[in-house]
Amino acid sequence: MQRQLDLYDRSNFGNELGFFKITGLTLVWQAGDLPDDYFNISNSIQFQIYEFDEFGRSFGLSYATGNPTV
C-alpha cells in the first residue's frame, strides 16, 4: 500500500490525501529430477487486485477512485 500525505498545507499537514493498494496471490508449480539431477521445470500463475482512492490528485495524475477493470 502506498499512501499520499499532505506535507505542504499547514492546516492539513500529515492527513491522507489518497492511497494506492495492490493485493495479489502467486501460485508456483515446480518439478525436478525427471531425466537427471540438473533438470528443472516450473510454471506460475498470478492474480492481482488494484485499488485506488484519489491517489495522485495533488500531482495532477487523477487516478479514479475504485477498482479499475483491465
Short mmCIF file of all heavy atoms in Angstrom, two decimals:
data_model
loop_
_atom_site.label_atom_id
_atom_site.label_comp_id
_atom_site.label_asym_id
_atom_site.label_seq_id
_atom_site.Cartn_x
_atom_site.Cartn_y
_atom_site.Cartn_z
N MET A 1 0.85 -1.16 0.00
CA MET A 1 0.00 0.00 0.00
C MET A 1 0.90 1.23 0.00
O MET A 1 1.89 1.28 0.71
CB MET A 1 -0.92 0.01 1.22
CG MET A 1 -1.75 1.27 1.29
SD MET A 1 -2.86 1.34 2.68
CE MET A 1 -4.21 0.45 2.01
N GLN A 2 0.55 2.18 -0.81
CA GLN A 2 1.26 3.45 -0.85
C GLN A 2 0.27 4.56 -0.53
O GLN A 2 -0.77 4.68 -1.16
CB GLN A 2 1.88 3.69 -2.22
CG GLN A 2 2.71 4.93 -2.27
CD GLN A 2 3.46 5.05 -3.59
OE1 GLN A 2 3.41 4.17 -4.43
NE2 GLN A 2 4.15 6.13 -3.76
N ARG A 3 0.58 5.34 0.48
CA ARG A 3 -0.29 6.42 0.91
C ARG A 3 0.30 7.76 0.48
O ARG A 3 1.51 7.93 0.47
CB ARG A 3 -0.47 6.42 2.42
CG ARG A 3 -1.13 5.19 2.93
CD ARG A 3 -1.34 5.29 4.44
NE ARG A 3 -1.83 4.06 4.98
CZ ARG A 3 -3.11 3.73 5.02
NH1 ARG A 3 -4.02 4.54 4.55
NH2 ARG A 3 -3.50 2.58 5.54
N GLN A 4 -0.58 8.68 0.16
CA GLN A 4 -0.15 10.03 -0.21
C GLN A 4 -0.59 10.97 0.91
O GLN A 4 -1.78 11.08 1.22
CB GLN A 4 -0.80 10.44 -1.53
CG GLN A 4 -0.35 11.77 -2.02
CD GLN A 4 -0.99 12.07 -3.36
OE1 GLN A 4 -1.71 11.25 -3.91
NE2 GLN A 4 -0.71 13.23 -3.86
N LEU A 5 0.38 11.63 1.56
CA LEU A 5 0.10 12.50 2.69
C LEU A 5 0.28 13.96 2.28
O LEU A 5 1.10 14.28 1.43
CB LEU A 5 1.03 12.18 3.86
CG LEU A 5 0.98 10.75 4.38
CD1 LEU A 5 1.99 10.57 5.49
CD2 LEU A 5 -0.40 10.40 4.85
N ASP A 6 -0.44 14.82 2.94
CA ASP A 6 -0.33 16.26 2.70
C ASP A 6 0.82 16.80 3.54
O ASP A 6 0.76 16.81 4.76
CB ASP A 6 -1.63 16.97 3.07
CG ASP A 6 -1.65 18.41 2.64
OD1 ASP A 6 -0.61 18.91 2.16
OD2 ASP A 6 -2.71 19.05 2.77
N LEU A 7 1.89 17.21 2.89
CA LEU A 7 3.06 17.75 3.58
C LEU A 7 3.26 19.23 3.31
O LEU A 7 4.26 19.80 3.74
CB LEU A 7 4.31 16.98 3.15
CG LEU A 7 4.27 15.47 3.40
CD1 LEU A 7 5.51 14.81 2.85
CD2 LEU A 7 4.10 15.17 4.87
N TYR A 8 2.33 19.87 2.61
CA TYR A 8 2.51 21.26 2.20
C TYR A 8 1.55 22.23 2.90
O TYR A 8 1.92 23.36 3.17
CB TYR A 8 2.36 21.38 0.68
CG TYR A 8 3.36 20.55 -0.06
CD1 TYR A 8 2.99 19.37 -0.68
CD2 TYR A 8 4.69 20.92 -0.11
CE1 TYR A 8 3.91 18.59 -1.34
CE2 TYR A 8 5.62 20.15 -0.76
CZ TYR A 8 5.23 18.99 -1.37
OH TYR A 8 6.15 18.20 -2.01
N ASP A 9 0.35 21.80 3.18
CA ASP A 9 -0.66 22.67 3.80
C ASP A 9 -0.56 22.52 5.32
O ASP A 9 -0.80 21.45 5.86
CB ASP A 9 -2.06 22.28 3.31
CG ASP A 9 -3.14 23.20 3.83
OD1 ASP A 9 -2.82 24.21 4.49
OD2 ASP A 9 -4.33 22.90 3.56
N ARG A 10 -0.21 23.58 6.03
CA ARG A 10 -0.01 23.50 7.49
C ARG A 10 -1.29 23.14 8.23
O ARG A 10 -1.25 22.46 9.24
CB ARG A 10 0.53 24.82 8.02
CG ARG A 10 1.94 25.09 7.61
CD ARG A 10 2.41 26.42 8.17
NE ARG A 10 3.73 26.72 7.66
CZ ARG A 10 4.79 26.82 8.42
NH1 ARG A 10 4.69 26.67 9.72
NH2 ARG A 10 5.96 27.08 7.88
N SER A 11 -2.44 23.56 7.74
CA SER A 11 -3.69 23.23 8.43
C SER A 11 -4.11 21.78 8.20
O SER A 11 -4.92 21.25 8.95
CB SER A 11 -4.80 24.18 7.97
OG SER A 11 -5.06 23.97 6.59
N ASN A 12 -3.57 21.13 7.18
CA ASN A 12 -3.93 19.76 6.82
C ASN A 12 -2.71 18.84 6.87
O ASN A 12 -2.74 17.75 6.31
CB ASN A 12 -4.56 19.77 5.42
CG ASN A 12 -5.42 18.56 5.17
OD1 ASN A 12 -5.95 17.97 6.08
ND2 ASN A 12 -5.55 18.20 3.91
N PHE A 13 -1.63 19.26 7.51
CA PHE A 13 -0.35 18.56 7.48
C PHE A 13 -0.47 17.13 8.01
O PHE A 13 -1.00 16.89 9.09
CB PHE A 13 0.69 19.32 8.31
CG PHE A 13 2.07 18.76 8.19
CD1 PHE A 13 2.86 19.05 7.11
CD2 PHE A 13 2.56 17.90 9.16
CE1 PHE A 13 4.14 18.54 6.99
CE2 PHE A 13 3.83 17.38 9.06
CZ PHE A 13 4.63 17.70 7.97
N GLY A 14 0.01 16.17 7.24
CA GLY A 14 0.03 14.77 7.63
C GLY A 14 -1.24 14.00 7.37
O GLY A 14 -1.28 12.79 7.57
N ASN A 15 -2.28 14.67 6.92
CA ASN A 15 -3.53 13.96 6.61
C ASN A 15 -3.40 13.21 5.29
O ASN A 15 -2.71 13.65 4.37
CB ASN A 15 -4.70 14.94 6.54
CG ASN A 15 -5.10 15.46 7.90
OD1 ASN A 15 -4.77 14.86 8.92
ND2 ASN A 15 -5.80 16.57 7.92
N GLU A 16 -4.10 12.10 5.20
CA GLU A 16 -4.04 11.28 3.99
C GLU A 16 -4.86 11.91 2.87
O GLU A 16 -6.03 12.24 3.06
CB GLU A 16 -4.56 9.88 4.29
CG GLU A 16 -4.44 8.93 3.13
CD GLU A 16 -4.89 7.53 3.48
OE1 GLU A 16 -4.25 6.91 4.35
OE2 GLU A 16 -5.87 7.09 2.89
N LEU A 17 -4.24 12.04 1.70
CA LEU A 17 -4.93 12.57 0.53
C LEU A 17 -5.47 11.46 -0.36
O LEU A 17 -6.38 11.68 -1.15
CB LEU A 17 -3.99 13.46 -0.29
CG LEU A 17 -3.46 14.71 0.42
CD1 LEU A 17 -2.45 15.41 -0.47
CD2 LEU A 17 -4.60 15.64 0.76
N GLY A 18 -4.89 10.30 -0.27
CA GLY A 18 -5.32 9.17 -1.09
C GLY A 18 -4.37 7.99 -0.91
O GLY A 18 -3.34 8.10 -0.25
N PHE A 19 -4.72 6.85 -1.51
CA PHE A 19 -3.85 5.69 -1.44
C PHE A 19 -3.97 4.84 -2.69
O PHE A 19 -4.91 4.97 -3.47
CB PHE A 19 -4.12 4.85 -0.18
CG PHE A 19 -5.45 4.13 -0.20
CD1 PHE A 19 -5.60 2.90 -0.81
CD2 PHE A 19 -6.55 4.69 0.42
CE1 PHE A 19 -6.81 2.25 -0.82
CE2 PHE A 19 -7.77 4.05 0.43
CZ PHE A 19 -7.90 2.82 -0.20
N PHE A 20 -2.98 3.97 -2.88
CA PHE A 20 -2.91 3.03 -3.98
C PHE A 20 -2.49 1.70 -3.38
O PHE A 20 -1.47 1.61 -2.70
CB PHE A 20 -1.89 3.53 -5.01
CG PHE A 20 -1.53 2.55 -6.08
CD1 PHE A 20 -2.50 1.96 -6.85
CD2 PHE A 20 -0.21 2.23 -6.33
CE1 PHE A 20 -2.17 1.07 -7.86
CE2 PHE A 20 0.12 1.35 -7.33
CZ PHE A 20 -0.86 0.76 -8.09
N LYS A 21 -3.31 0.66 -3.58
CA LYS A 21 -3.05 -0.64 -2.95
C LYS A 21 -3.11 -1.74 -4.00
O LYS A 21 -3.99 -1.77 -4.84
CB LYS A 21 -4.09 -0.88 -1.86
CG LYS A 21 -3.92 -2.19 -1.14
CD LYS A 21 -4.80 -2.30 0.09
CE LYS A 21 -6.23 -2.52 -0.24
NZ LYS A 21 -7.06 -2.88 0.94
N ILE A 22 -2.13 -2.65 -3.92
CA ILE A 22 -2.12 -3.85 -4.77
C ILE A 22 -2.17 -5.07 -3.84
O ILE A 22 -1.33 -5.22 -2.96
CB ILE A 22 -0.85 -3.94 -5.63
CG1 ILE A 22 -0.72 -2.72 -6.53
CG2 ILE A 22 -0.86 -5.21 -6.46
CD1 ILE A 22 0.58 -2.67 -7.28
N THR A 23 -3.17 -5.92 -4.04
CA THR A 23 -3.29 -7.17 -3.31
C THR A 23 -3.14 -8.30 -4.32
O THR A 23 -3.77 -8.26 -5.38
CB THR A 23 -4.66 -7.27 -2.62
OG1 THR A 23 -4.85 -6.12 -1.80
CG2 THR A 23 -4.76 -8.52 -1.78
N GLY A 24 -2.29 -9.27 -4.03
CA GLY A 24 -2.06 -10.30 -5.03
C GLY A 24 -1.77 -11.67 -4.44
O GLY A 24 -1.53 -11.82 -3.25
N LEU A 25 -1.82 -12.65 -5.32
CA LEU A 25 -1.55 -14.04 -4.98
C LEU A 25 -0.79 -14.67 -6.14
O LEU A 25 -1.16 -14.48 -7.30
CB LEU A 25 -2.88 -14.79 -4.76
CG LEU A 25 -2.80 -16.28 -4.54
CD1 LEU A 25 -2.17 -16.59 -3.19
CD2 LEU A 25 -4.18 -16.90 -4.64
N THR A 26 0.28 -15.39 -5.83
CA THR A 26 1.06 -16.09 -6.85
C THR A 26 1.16 -17.56 -6.46
O THR A 26 1.52 -17.88 -5.33
CB THR A 26 2.47 -15.48 -6.96
OG1 THR A 26 2.37 -14.10 -7.27
CG2 THR A 26 3.27 -16.17 -8.05
N LEU A 27 0.84 -18.43 -7.39
CA LEU A 27 0.97 -19.87 -7.20
C LEU A 27 2.06 -20.39 -8.13
O LEU A 27 2.06 -20.08 -9.32
CB LEU A 27 -0.34 -20.58 -7.51
CG LEU A 27 -1.55 -20.19 -6.66
CD1 LEU A 27 -2.80 -20.85 -7.20
CD2 LEU A 27 -1.32 -20.55 -5.21
N VAL A 28 2.98 -21.17 -7.58
CA VAL A 28 4.12 -21.69 -8.35
C VAL A 28 4.12 -23.21 -8.27
O VAL A 28 3.97 -23.78 -7.19
CB VAL A 28 5.46 -21.12 -7.81
CG1 VAL A 28 6.63 -21.68 -8.58
CG2 VAL A 28 5.46 -19.61 -7.86
N TRP A 29 4.32 -23.84 -9.41
CA TRP A 29 4.47 -25.29 -9.50
C TRP A 29 5.87 -25.56 -10.04
O TRP A 29 6.29 -24.95 -11.02
CB TRP A 29 3.43 -25.87 -10.44
CG TRP A 29 3.63 -27.33 -10.72
CD1 TRP A 29 3.29 -28.37 -9.91
CD2 TRP A 29 4.25 -27.90 -11.86
NE1 TRP A 29 3.64 -29.55 -10.48
CE2 TRP A 29 4.24 -29.29 -11.69
CE3 TRP A 29 4.82 -27.38 -13.01
CZ2 TRP A 29 4.78 -30.15 -12.63
CZ3 TRP A 29 5.35 -28.24 -13.94
CH2 TRP A 29 5.31 -29.62 -13.75
N GLN A 30 6.61 -26.46 -9.37
CA GLN A 30 7.97 -26.75 -9.79
C GLN A 30 8.25 -28.24 -9.65
O GLN A 30 7.83 -28.87 -8.68
CB GLN A 30 8.96 -25.96 -8.93
CG GLN A 30 10.38 -26.10 -9.36
CD GLN A 30 11.29 -25.13 -8.60
OE1 GLN A 30 10.83 -24.26 -7.90
NE2 GLN A 30 12.57 -25.31 -8.75
N ALA A 31 8.94 -28.79 -10.64
CA ALA A 31 9.30 -30.22 -10.61
C ALA A 31 10.74 -30.37 -11.04
O ALA A 31 11.26 -29.59 -11.85
CB ALA A 31 8.40 -31.02 -11.54
N GLY A 32 11.41 -31.35 -10.51
CA GLY A 32 12.80 -31.60 -10.87
C GLY A 32 13.13 -33.07 -10.83
O GLY A 32 12.28 -33.91 -10.49
N ASP A 33 14.35 -33.41 -11.16
CA ASP A 33 14.89 -34.79 -11.11
C ASP A 33 14.21 -35.75 -12.08
O ASP A 33 14.19 -36.94 -11.83
CB ASP A 33 14.78 -35.37 -9.69
CG ASP A 33 15.61 -34.58 -8.68
OD1 ASP A 33 16.59 -33.97 -9.10
OD2 ASP A 33 15.25 -34.61 -7.50
N LEU A 34 13.60 -35.24 -13.16
CA LEU A 34 12.94 -36.16 -14.09
C LEU A 34 13.96 -36.92 -14.94
O LEU A 34 14.14 -38.11 -14.72
CB LEU A 34 11.90 -35.42 -14.92
CG LEU A 34 10.71 -34.86 -14.10
CD1 LEU A 34 9.80 -34.04 -14.98
CD2 LEU A 34 9.95 -35.97 -13.42
N PRO A 35 14.64 -36.31 -15.92
CA PRO A 35 15.63 -37.08 -16.69
C PRO A 35 16.97 -37.23 -15.93
O PRO A 35 17.61 -38.26 -16.02
CB PRO A 35 15.86 -36.29 -17.96
CG PRO A 35 14.93 -35.15 -17.94
CD PRO A 35 14.32 -35.07 -16.59
N ASP A 36 17.36 -36.16 -15.19
CA ASP A 36 18.62 -36.21 -14.43
C ASP A 36 18.55 -35.21 -13.27
O ASP A 36 17.55 -34.53 -13.08
CB ASP A 36 19.82 -35.92 -15.34
CG ASP A 36 19.75 -34.58 -16.03
OD1 ASP A 36 19.13 -33.64 -15.47
OD2 ASP A 36 20.32 -34.44 -17.11
N ASP A 37 19.61 -35.11 -12.50
CA ASP A 37 19.63 -34.25 -11.32
C ASP A 37 19.64 -32.76 -11.66
O ASP A 37 19.40 -31.93 -10.78
CB ASP A 37 20.85 -34.57 -10.46
CG ASP A 37 20.70 -35.93 -9.79
OD1 ASP A 37 19.56 -36.42 -9.70
OD2 ASP A 37 21.73 -36.49 -9.37
N TYR A 38 19.96 -32.38 -12.90
CA TYR A 38 20.06 -30.97 -13.27
C TYR A 38 18.82 -30.46 -13.99
O TYR A 38 18.76 -29.30 -14.39
CB TYR A 38 21.30 -30.75 -14.15
CG TYR A 38 22.56 -31.15 -13.42
CD1 TYR A 38 23.20 -32.35 -13.71
CD2 TYR A 38 23.08 -30.34 -12.43
CE1 TYR A 38 24.34 -32.73 -13.04
CE2 TYR A 38 24.23 -30.71 -11.75
CZ TYR A 38 24.85 -31.90 -12.06
OH TYR A 38 25.98 -32.27 -11.39
N PHE A 39 17.82 -31.28 -14.17
CA PHE A 39 16.59 -30.89 -14.86
C PHE A 39 15.65 -30.19 -13.88
O PHE A 39 15.48 -30.60 -12.74
CB PHE A 39 15.90 -32.13 -15.46
CG PHE A 39 14.65 -31.81 -16.19
CD1 PHE A 39 14.69 -31.36 -17.50
CD2 PHE A 39 13.40 -31.94 -15.58
CE1 PHE A 39 13.53 -31.06 -18.19
CE2 PHE A 39 12.24 -31.65 -16.26
CZ PHE A 39 12.30 -31.20 -17.57
N ASN A 40 15.03 -29.11 -14.36
CA ASN A 40 14.08 -28.37 -13.54
C ASN A 40 13.04 -27.73 -14.46
O ASN A 40 13.39 -27.17 -15.50
CB ASN A 40 14.81 -27.30 -12.73
CG ASN A 40 13.93 -26.69 -11.68
OD1 ASN A 40 12.79 -27.09 -11.49
ND2 ASN A 40 14.46 -25.70 -10.99
N ILE A 41 11.78 -27.79 -14.09
CA ILE A 41 10.72 -27.14 -14.85
C ILE A 41 9.77 -26.48 -13.84
O ILE A 41 9.54 -27.01 -12.76
CB ILE A 41 9.95 -28.14 -15.75
CG1 ILE A 41 8.98 -27.41 -16.66
CG2 ILE A 41 9.26 -29.20 -14.93
CD1 ILE A 41 8.39 -28.28 -17.75
N SER A 42 9.29 -25.29 -14.20
CA SER A 42 8.38 -24.59 -13.28
C SER A 42 7.37 -23.77 -14.08
O SER A 42 7.58 -23.46 -15.24
CB SER A 42 9.16 -23.68 -12.33
OG SER A 42 9.78 -22.63 -13.05
N ASN A 43 6.27 -23.44 -13.41
CA ASN A 43 5.22 -22.64 -14.00
C ASN A 43 4.56 -21.86 -12.88
O ASN A 43 4.57 -22.28 -11.73
CB ASN A 43 4.21 -23.53 -14.72
CG ASN A 43 3.40 -22.77 -15.73
OD1 ASN A 43 3.48 -21.55 -15.82
ND2 ASN A 43 2.62 -23.49 -16.52
N SER A 44 3.97 -20.70 -13.20
CA SER A 44 3.31 -19.92 -12.16
C SER A 44 2.10 -19.19 -12.74
O SER A 44 1.99 -18.98 -13.94
CB SER A 44 4.28 -18.91 -11.55
OG SER A 44 4.65 -17.95 -12.50
N ILE A 45 1.20 -18.82 -11.84
CA ILE A 45 0.04 -18.01 -12.20
C ILE A 45 -0.09 -16.93 -11.12
O ILE A 45 0.16 -17.20 -9.94
CB ILE A 45 -1.24 -18.85 -12.32
CG1 ILE A 45 -2.38 -18.01 -12.84
CG2 ILE A 45 -1.59 -19.52 -11.02
CD1 ILE A 45 -3.58 -18.81 -13.27
N GLN A 46 -0.46 -15.72 -11.55
CA GLN A 46 -0.53 -14.61 -10.62
C GLN A 46 -1.85 -13.87 -10.79
O GLN A 46 -2.34 -13.69 -11.91
CB GLN A 46 0.64 -13.65 -10.89
CG GLN A 46 0.72 -12.52 -9.91
CD GLN A 46 1.96 -11.67 -10.13
OE1 GLN A 46 2.68 -11.83 -11.10
NE2 GLN A 46 2.22 -10.78 -9.20
N PHE A 47 -2.42 -13.43 -9.67
CA PHE A 47 -3.68 -12.69 -9.65
C PHE A 47 -3.46 -11.44 -8.80
O PHE A 47 -2.91 -11.52 -7.70
CB PHE A 47 -4.77 -13.56 -9.04
CG PHE A 47 -6.09 -12.88 -8.89
CD1 PHE A 47 -6.88 -12.64 -10.00
CD2 PHE A 47 -6.53 -12.46 -7.66
CE1 PHE A 47 -8.11 -12.01 -9.87
CE2 PHE A 47 -7.74 -11.83 -7.51
CZ PHE A 47 -8.53 -11.60 -8.63
N GLN A 48 -3.85 -10.26 -9.32
CA GLN A 48 -3.66 -9.02 -8.59
C GLN A 48 -4.93 -8.17 -8.66
O GLN A 48 -5.61 -8.14 -9.67
CB GLN A 48 -2.51 -8.19 -9.17
CG GLN A 48 -1.16 -8.79 -8.94
CD GLN A 48 -0.06 -7.90 -9.45
OE1 GLN A 48 -0.24 -7.14 -10.39
NE2 GLN A 48 1.09 -8.00 -8.83
N ILE A 49 -5.20 -7.47 -7.56
CA ILE A 49 -6.30 -6.51 -7.48
C ILE A 49 -5.69 -5.15 -7.17
O ILE A 49 -4.93 -5.01 -6.21
CB ILE A 49 -7.31 -6.89 -6.38
CG1 ILE A 49 -7.95 -8.23 -6.68
CG2 ILE A 49 -8.37 -5.80 -6.22
CD1 ILE A 49 -8.82 -8.74 -5.56
N TYR A 50 -6.01 -4.15 -7.99
CA TYR A 50 -5.54 -2.78 -7.79
C TYR A 50 -6.69 -1.97 -7.21
O TYR A 50 -7.81 -2.07 -7.68
CB TYR A 50 -5.12 -2.16 -9.12
CG TYR A 50 -3.93 -2.82 -9.74
CD1 TYR A 50 -4.08 -3.95 -10.53
CD2 TYR A 50 -2.66 -2.32 -9.56
CE1 TYR A 50 -2.99 -4.56 -11.11
CE2 TYR A 50 -1.56 -2.93 -10.14
CZ TYR A 50 -1.73 -4.04 -10.91
OH TYR A 50 -0.64 -4.65 -11.46
N GLU A 51 -6.39 -1.15 -6.20
CA GLU A 51 -7.41 -0.31 -5.60
C GLU A 51 -6.86 1.11 -5.45
O GLU A 51 -5.78 1.31 -4.90
CB GLU A 51 -7.80 -0.86 -4.23
CG GLU A 51 -8.93 -0.12 -3.58
CD GLU A 51 -9.33 -0.74 -2.25
OE1 GLU A 51 -8.93 -1.87 -1.97
OE2 GLU A 51 -10.04 -0.06 -1.50
N PHE A 52 -7.60 2.09 -5.95
CA PHE A 52 -7.21 3.49 -5.91
C PHE A 52 -8.22 4.28 -5.08
O PHE A 52 -9.41 4.01 -5.11
CB PHE A 52 -7.21 4.11 -7.31
CG PHE A 52 -6.19 3.53 -8.23
CD1 PHE A 52 -6.53 2.51 -9.10
CD2 PHE A 52 -4.90 4.01 -8.25
CE1 PHE A 52 -5.60 1.98 -9.96
CE2 PHE A 52 -3.96 3.48 -9.10
CZ PHE A 52 -4.31 2.46 -9.96
N ASP A 53 -7.73 5.27 -4.35
CA ASP A 53 -8.60 6.20 -3.65
C ASP A 53 -8.00 7.60 -3.80
O ASP A 53 -7.18 8.02 -2.98
CB ASP A 53 -8.75 5.84 -2.18
CG ASP A 53 -9.67 6.80 -1.44
OD1 ASP A 53 -10.54 7.41 -2.08
OD2 ASP A 53 -9.52 6.94 -0.22
N GLU A 54 -8.35 8.27 -4.86
CA GLU A 54 -7.91 9.64 -5.17
C GLU A 54 -6.39 9.78 -5.12
O GLU A 54 -5.85 10.80 -4.73
CB GLU A 54 -8.56 10.63 -4.21
CG GLU A 54 -10.06 10.65 -4.36
CD GLU A 54 -10.72 11.69 -3.48
OE1 GLU A 54 -10.02 12.57 -2.97
OE2 GLU A 54 -11.94 11.62 -3.33
N PHE A 55 -5.67 8.74 -5.51
CA PHE A 55 -4.21 8.75 -5.49
C PHE A 55 -3.67 9.62 -6.62
O PHE A 55 -4.10 9.51 -7.75
CB PHE A 55 -3.66 7.33 -5.63
CG PHE A 55 -2.17 7.24 -5.51
CD1 PHE A 55 -1.57 7.33 -4.28
CD2 PHE A 55 -1.39 7.08 -6.63
CE1 PHE A 55 -0.21 7.24 -4.15
CE2 PHE A 55 -0.03 7.00 -6.52
CZ PHE A 55 0.57 7.08 -5.27
N GLY A 56 -2.73 10.49 -6.31
CA GLY A 56 -2.11 11.34 -7.31
C GLY A 56 -2.89 12.60 -7.62
O GLY A 56 -2.52 13.34 -8.53
N ARG A 57 -3.93 12.87 -6.90
CA ARG A 57 -4.78 14.03 -7.16
C ARG A 57 -3.99 15.33 -7.07
O ARG A 57 -4.12 16.20 -7.92
CB ARG A 57 -5.93 14.04 -6.16
CG ARG A 57 -6.85 15.22 -6.26
CD ARG A 57 -7.92 15.13 -5.22
NE ARG A 57 -7.31 15.12 -3.89
CZ ARG A 57 -7.97 15.04 -2.77
NH1 ARG A 57 -9.27 14.92 -2.79
NH2 ARG A 57 -7.35 15.06 -1.62
N SER A 58 -3.11 15.46 -6.08
CA SER A 58 -2.37 16.71 -5.92
C SER A 58 -1.26 16.86 -6.96
O SER A 58 -0.72 17.94 -7.14
CB SER A 58 -1.79 16.81 -4.51
OG SER A 58 -0.85 15.77 -4.30
N PHE A 59 -0.88 15.77 -7.64
CA PHE A 59 0.14 15.83 -8.68
C PHE A 59 -0.46 15.94 -10.08
O PHE A 59 0.26 15.95 -11.07
CB PHE A 59 1.04 14.59 -8.64
CG PHE A 59 1.74 14.41 -7.33
CD1 PHE A 59 1.50 13.30 -6.55
CD2 PHE A 59 2.63 15.36 -6.86
CE1 PHE A 59 2.14 13.12 -5.35
CE2 PHE A 59 3.27 15.21 -5.66
CZ PHE A 59 3.02 14.08 -4.90
N GLY A 60 -1.76 15.95 -10.19
CA GLY A 60 -2.42 16.04 -11.49
C GLY A 60 -2.52 14.72 -12.24
O GLY A 60 -2.78 14.71 -13.43
N LEU A 61 -2.32 13.59 -11.55
CA LEU A 61 -2.39 12.29 -12.21
C LEU A 61 -3.82 11.81 -12.37
O LEU A 61 -4.11 11.05 -13.26
CB LEU A 61 -1.57 11.26 -11.42
CG LEU A 61 -0.09 11.56 -11.29
CD1 LEU A 61 0.58 10.51 -10.41
CD2 LEU A 61 0.57 11.62 -12.65
N SER A 62 -4.68 12.19 -11.46
CA SER A 62 -6.12 11.94 -11.50
C SER A 62 -6.50 10.47 -11.73
O SER A 62 -7.22 10.14 -12.64
CB SER A 62 -6.82 12.82 -12.55
OG SER A 62 -6.41 12.46 -13.85
N TYR A 63 -5.98 9.56 -10.89
CA TYR A 63 -6.44 8.18 -10.93
C TYR A 63 -7.85 8.11 -10.34
O TYR A 63 -8.13 8.73 -9.33
CB TYR A 63 -5.51 7.27 -10.12
CG TYR A 63 -4.18 7.04 -10.76
CD1 TYR A 63 -3.02 7.53 -10.19
CD2 TYR A 63 -4.07 6.35 -11.96
CE1 TYR A 63 -1.80 7.33 -10.77
CE2 TYR A 63 -2.85 6.14 -12.56
CZ TYR A 63 -1.71 6.63 -11.95
OH TYR A 63 -0.52 6.42 -12.54
N ALA A 64 -8.69 7.36 -10.95
CA ALA A 64 -10.07 7.25 -10.48
C ALA A 64 -10.12 6.47 -9.17
O ALA A 64 -9.29 5.62 -8.90
CB ALA A 64 -10.91 6.54 -11.52
N THR A 65 -11.13 6.75 -8.37
CA THR A 65 -11.35 6.01 -7.13
C THR A 65 -12.07 4.71 -7.46
O THR A 65 -13.00 4.71 -8.26
CB THR A 65 -12.19 6.86 -6.16
OG1 THR A 65 -11.45 8.04 -5.84
CG2 THR A 65 -12.49 6.10 -4.89
N GLY A 66 -11.62 3.60 -6.85
CA GLY A 66 -12.26 2.31 -7.06
C GLY A 66 -11.30 1.28 -7.58
O GLY A 66 -10.08 1.42 -7.48
N ASN A 67 -11.84 0.23 -8.15
CA ASN A 67 -11.05 -0.87 -8.73
C ASN A 67 -11.15 -0.78 -10.24
O ASN A 67 -12.23 -0.98 -10.80
CB ASN A 67 -11.58 -2.21 -8.25
CG ASN A 67 -11.44 -2.39 -6.76
OD1 ASN A 67 -10.55 -1.83 -6.14
ND2 ASN A 67 -12.33 -3.17 -6.18
N PRO A 68 -10.04 -0.51 -10.94
CA PRO A 68 -10.11 -0.42 -12.39
C PRO A 68 -10.30 -1.81 -13.02
O PRO A 68 -9.84 -2.80 -12.48
CB PRO A 68 -8.75 0.15 -12.77
CG PRO A 68 -7.85 -0.20 -11.65
CD PRO A 68 -8.72 -0.25 -10.43
N THR A 69 -10.99 -1.86 -14.12
CA THR A 69 -11.15 -3.12 -14.86
C THR A 69 -10.10 -3.17 -15.95
O THR A 69 -9.84 -2.19 -16.63
CB THR A 69 -12.54 -3.23 -15.47
OG1 THR A 69 -12.76 -2.09 -16.31
CG2 THR A 69 -13.61 -3.28 -14.39
N VAL A 70 -9.50 -4.34 -16.10
CA VAL A 70 -8.44 -4.50 -17.09
C VAL A 70 -8.90 -5.47 -18.15
O VAL A 70 -9.52 -6.43 -17.91
CB VAL A 70 -7.14 -5.01 -16.42
CG1 VAL A 70 -6.07 -5.23 -17.43
CG2 VAL A 70 -6.71 -4.05 -15.36
#
